[in-house]
Amino acid sequence: MIPLLEASDPRRFGGKASSLARLLAAGLPVPDGVVLPIEEFHAFARFNHLDLRPRDSGQVEVLRLGILAGRIPPELGAALRGLTLGDRLVVRSSAIEEDGRERSFAG
């Protein structure tokens, strides 16, 4: 996990997190947080033996179900348990490079 302030690379953290990191660095009022880089998702996929390159709609459904049923790798689970989050937690899932010429507002 990476502190939000350090999440400046949209290829690793997605556009939302990198934009929030830039706003936070500029001193604007942004709630602080942590971000999981794409490498953590790849580690999750490897840990759960998920094929991230489905070739048809059936394999997409298998991947979706595998993600929902997947277990969090022990290292990530330990890091998450170590967070001091107070009484609020917000999670936003975002695809890397979800907006572009081919598509927009994917979330």
Side-chain angles (χ1 to χ4, degrees), residues 40-52 62-63 65-74 76:
E40 291 291 346
F41 177 67
H42 289 157
F44 170 85
R46 281 191 307 276
F47 184 77
N48 288 283
H49 310 288
L50 300 175
D51 180 0
L52 295 179
V62 168
L63 176 57
L65 293 172
I67 289 170
L68 292 174
R71 294 181 21 233
I72 295 175
L76 178 56

Side-chain angles (χ1 to χ4, degrees), residues 9-28:
D9 184 353
R11 294 169 302 204
R12 285 189 69 210
F13 302 103
K16 176 67 74 176
S18 63
S19 294
L20 290 172
R22 287 193 306 276
L23 292 171
L24 189 61
L28 294 168

Side-chain angles (χ1 to χ4, degrees), residues 1 72-83:
M1 287 181 298
I72 295 175
E75 309 81 39
L76 178 56
L80 291 171
R81 283 189 295 278
L83 288 177

